[in-house]
C-alpha cells in the first residue's frame, strides 16, 4: 500500500508492506494535502516488515522493534524532507489562525510551542502547523503544514487531551483530536508571539515588543531562508510591518493560550 | 578626511525595520543585523557622501560633538567594510 501526501509542497510517497501500519500512517497524515496523482516522484520512504519494521529513506535504513518506533522514524523522515526540500520560505514556528488571520510563534524545538499550539486549538483556533511558518517566495502568502502534533505525557496531561496514537515517548494527535479544524490556506499574519519561559506557572504576561526582536528570532529559526536571503528579508520585513509583535511569558500553557486568545479578541 | 563613503556593494539586499537595517551577504549566506548607529551610518553610504559630510550630517541630526561622532563613524565604517558591505572608499582629488 502507498500513502501519498504533499508536505510543504514536497510530494511524499510512503510504501508500506504492513496494511495495519499503512492505515495508521494514512490516518495520522490525513491533514496534509494529497498529491493528487499516482506519481511517486519526490521523496520516497519504504516500510518493510510486520514487526520489526525497517524504514528505508534515501538517506539511510533504520530498524524499529515497535510500531511506535517505526512511526517516529517515518514521521521524522517525512518532516525532514518537507522542511529541507520545500519550495517555500520555511521557518521554524507554530502557526494557528482565527477569523481569517494568523498568529505565529517562532521557537526552537522543546520550547513548548507544540503544547501551546494544542492549547490554542482546544480554545477554538484552527491548525496551520506546529512546525513551520511557510511563505510563498513570490506572493508572500502563507502555506499550511498541518502535520500531526507530538505531545509528551506532561503536555498531554496539561492540555487535557485524550486519544491520539502513541509514538516513541509521545502521543501523536491530529487537529481533530483536539476539536479543531485545519487551515491549509491561512490568511495574513496579525500577531507574532515570542516565547519566554517563566518559572511561575501563573505568570502568563503579554507585552508588546520591538519588531526587530521578531525578525532576529525568525531569521535564527530559518529552514530555507538562505536559498534567497534577500527575498527572505523583504518578505519577513513586509510580514512584520503588518503584524503586532508580543512577548509571552509561557507559564502554564492553558493559561498562556487563554491569555493570547484574550489579547487577540481585544485587539 | 575627504574620503567618499560607500557605495554599498552591488549585491547587497537590505531592508529596514523600525530603525534598524538588515543585510543579506550572499557570498557567506549570512544575515547581518546593524545596530541603530551602524544603520544611521549605512544610510549615508551612497558613494557621494564624504566622511566629513557624514559626521556633519549625524551631528546635526542626533547631536554630540564632532570628535565623538567621528569616532563612532570610523568604527561603523570599519565594521561595514570588514563585512564586505561597502566598496573600497574612493579618494577625492
Amino acid at each position: 500500500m502507498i500513502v501519498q501526501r504533499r508536505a510543504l509542497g514536497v510530494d511524499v510517497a510512503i510504501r508500506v508492506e504492513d496494511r495495519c501500519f499503512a492505515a495508521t500512517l494514512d490516518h495520522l497524515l490525513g491533514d496534509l494535502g494529497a498529491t493528487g496523482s499516482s506519481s511517486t516522484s519526490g521523496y520516497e520512504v519504504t516500510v518493510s516488515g510486520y514487526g520489526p519494521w525497517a524504514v528505508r529513506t534515501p538517506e539511510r535504513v533504520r530498524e524499529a522493534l515497535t510500531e511506535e518506533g517505526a512511526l517516529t522514524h517515518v514521521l521524522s523522515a517525512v518532516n525532514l524532507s518537507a522542511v529541507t526540500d520545500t519550495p517555500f520560505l520555511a521557518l521554524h514556528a507554530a502557526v494557528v489562525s482565527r477569523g481569517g488571520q494568523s498568529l505565529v510563534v517562532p521557537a526552537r524545538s522543546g520550547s513548548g510551542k507544540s503544547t501551546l499550539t494544542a492549547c490554542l486549538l482546544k480554545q477554538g483556533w484552527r491548525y496551520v502547523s506546529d512546525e513551520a511558518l511557510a511563505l510563498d517566495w513570490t506572493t508572500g502568502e502563507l502555506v499550511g503544514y498541518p502535520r500531526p502534533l507530538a505531545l509528551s505525557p506532561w503536555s498531554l496531561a496539561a492540555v487535557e487531551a485524550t486519544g491520539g496514537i502513541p509514538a516513541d515517548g509521545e502521543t501523536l494527535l491530529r487537529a481533530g483530536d483536539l476539536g479543531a479544524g485545519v487551515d491549509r490556506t491561512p490568511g495574513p499574519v496579525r500577531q507574532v508571539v515570542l516565547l519566554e519561559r517563566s518559572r511561575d506557572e501563573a505568570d502568563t504576561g503579554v507585552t508588546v515588543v520591538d519588531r526587530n526582536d521578531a525578525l532576529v528570532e525568525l531569521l535564527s529559526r530559518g529552514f530555507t531562508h538562505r536559498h534567497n536571503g534577500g527575498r527572505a528579508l523583504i518578505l519577513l520585513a513586509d510580514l512584520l510591518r503588518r503584524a503586532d509583535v508580543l512577548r509571552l511569558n509561557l507559564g502554564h500553557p492553558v493559561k498562556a493560550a487563554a491569555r493570547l486568545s484574550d489579547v487577540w479578541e481585544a485587539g | 578626511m575627504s574620503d567618499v563613503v560607500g557605495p554599498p556593494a552591488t549585491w547587497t539586499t537590505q531592508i529596514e525595520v523600525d530603525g534598524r537595517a538588515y543585510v543579506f551577504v550572499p557570498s557567506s549566506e549570512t544575515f547581518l543585523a546593524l545596530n541603530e548607529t551602524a544603520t544611521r551610518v549605512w544610510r549615508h553610504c551612497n558613494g557621494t557622501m564624504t566622511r566629513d559630510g557624514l559626521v556633519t550630517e549625524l551631528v546635526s541630526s542626533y547631536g554630540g560633538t564632532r570628535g565623538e561622532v567621528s569616532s563612532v563613524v570610523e568604527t561603523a565604517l570599519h565594521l561595514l567594510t570588514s563585512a564586505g558591505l561597502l566598496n573600497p572608499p574612493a579618494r577625492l582629488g
Side-chain angles (χ1 to χ4, degrees), chain A residues 158-206:
Chain A
V159 175
E160 296 181 352
T162 55
I165 293 175
D168 265 356
E170 296 174 318
T171 297
L172 301 167
L173 298 154
R174 288 177 59 177
D177 296 327
L178 297 160
V182 170
D183 192 351
R184 291 194 192 86
T185 54
V189 175
R190 182 175 137 195
Q191 286 182 355
V192 177
V193 177
L194 309 181
L195 295 185
E196 190 161 278
R197 279 280 189 183
S198 174
R199 291 184 179 180
D200 180 0
E201 285 207 340
D203 180 9
T204 54
V206 173

Side-chain angles (χ1 to χ4, degrees), chain A residues 231-242:
Chain A
R231 182 66 186 155
L233 276 180
I234 290 167
L235 287 174
L236 292 175
D238 189 49
L239 181 154
L240 289 170
R241 281 190 198 103
R242 301 158 192 259

